[in-house]
Amino acid sequence: MRSRPIGFLLATLAGAVLALGGTSAASASPSTAPASAPSGDVGTADACYTWGGTLREGSSGEAVRQLQIRVAGYPGTGNQIAIDGAFGPATRAAVTRFQAAYGLAADGIAGPATFNKIYQLQDDDCTPVNFTYAELNRCNSDWSGGKVSAATARANALVTMWKLQAMRHAMGDRPITVNGGFRSVSCNSAVGGAANSRHMYGHAADLGAGSQGFCGLAQAARNHGFTEILGPGYPGHNDHTHVAGGSGRFWSAPSCGI
């Protein structure tokens, strides 16, 4: 968690002004191209991504897409939200659940308080504070060789990490052990992975038992946007819990009642 007292206060005031003006589709400035800072400012509110105003149902654009990534772990049981830049009912519901999870006013409107919490939860490379790209890729350093482009695999892994962050918080903020994530086709073949494994798309993570246990992880994953959950009782998954996003839904952990 990073301290940003002056920058944050200025960004918060700016967001509040926009909110009072009734702006529904906010602009946002990535840290790679920040807006000119007023005299005395120490920089933008966050080194990863800074939202410029309030977002609500009906908003659209990159600022919404960035928000959807951060609330991807709050779609409701058995669901998954689209990362499409369109703030619809599903996104509003996910924002509401995120707000409730952190004790914020749960109105489904993303304003300064919601963005402040996200800034606290993310590192400068946009990963959530408790997970890293290195954990999600023990195959190679450049994310190449999978079933999608390296950029897409890395982007999918980022969404996976935010889902895991939501799951971690729901389970009492106890550490979650990630044994692996993205695999190139060759890495997947070397470990005997399924021919259509979601690991090759960057969508998947294999989790160690940790203090939660394999079944605890599998059961919790149902609430945090994972469309594929494989755990104890499913062939080859008695020593880990596998979670993944992507299209379709397949949950099987018979020893855990799933």
Side-chain angles (χ1 to χ4, degrees):
M1 182 184 300
R2 297 175 300 286
S3 176
R4 52 177 76 80
I6 298 175
F8 166 68
L9 287 173
L10 290 171
T12 299
L13 288 171
V17 170
L18 285 173
L20 289 171
T23 301
S24 63
S27 61
S29 300
S31 61
T32 54
S36 297
S39 176
D41 196 359
V42 296
T44 55
D46 190 78
C48 161
Y49 188 88
T50 298
W51 284 269
T54 300
L55 299 173
R56 53 173 53 85
E57 191 167 352
S59 299
S60 63
E62 180 62 13
V64 173
R65 193 183 74 84
Q66 291 290 337
L67 174 64
Q68 288 170 328
I69 292 169
R70 276 65 167 188
V71 299
Y74 293 91
T77 302
N79 296 321
Q80 178 176 236
I81 68 168
I83 313 297
D84 60 4
F87 198 131
T91 298
R92 179 182 177 124
V95 170
T96 300
R97 293 186 189 97
F98 173 87
Q99 292 167 328
Y102 285 99
L104 306 176
D107 58 6
I109 299 172
T114 299
F115 296 134
N116 180 37
K117 176 52 65 176
I118 293 174
Y119 295 149
Q120 293 172 4
L121 290 173
Q122 70 184 6
D123 283 327
D124 291 350
D125 64 353
C126 300
T127 59
V129 292
N130 297 116
F131 298 93
T132 67
Y133 280 116
E135 288 178 289
L136 269 289
N137 183 358
R138 302 184 190 278
C139 172
N140 59 41
S141 61
D142 61 8
W143 300 81
S144 65
K147 293 283 192 179
V148 292
S149 70
T152 297
R154 184 179 168 93
N156 288 342
L158 181 62
V159 176
T160 298
M161 282 186 269
W162 280 100
K163 291 178 180 181
L164 289 172
Q165 185 71 31
M167 184 169 144
R168 184 187 193 275
H169 183 60
M171 300 184 81
D173 284 310
R174 290 177 288 165
I176 290 178
T177 301
V178 180
N179 294 330
F182 168 75
R183 300 173 190 159
S184 67
V185 173
S186 59
C187 285
N188 188 64
S189 178
V191 299
N196 62 344
S197 172
R198 298 190 189 185
H199 283 283
M200 295 184 288
Y201 297 83
H203 283 305
D206 288 340
L207 310 179
S211 62
Q212 302 92 338
F214 295 133
C215 283
L217 292 166
Q219 291 160 352
R222 296 174 295 183
N223 303 320
H224 297 289
F226 292 109
T227 57
E228 184 170 86
I229 304 169
L230 305 175
Y234 185 79
H237 289 74
N238 288 325
D239 61 352
H240 70 282
T241 292
H242 164 95
V243 295
S247 60
R249 191 172 92 182
F250 181 58
W251 295 351
S252 184
S255 298
C256 308
I258 300 174

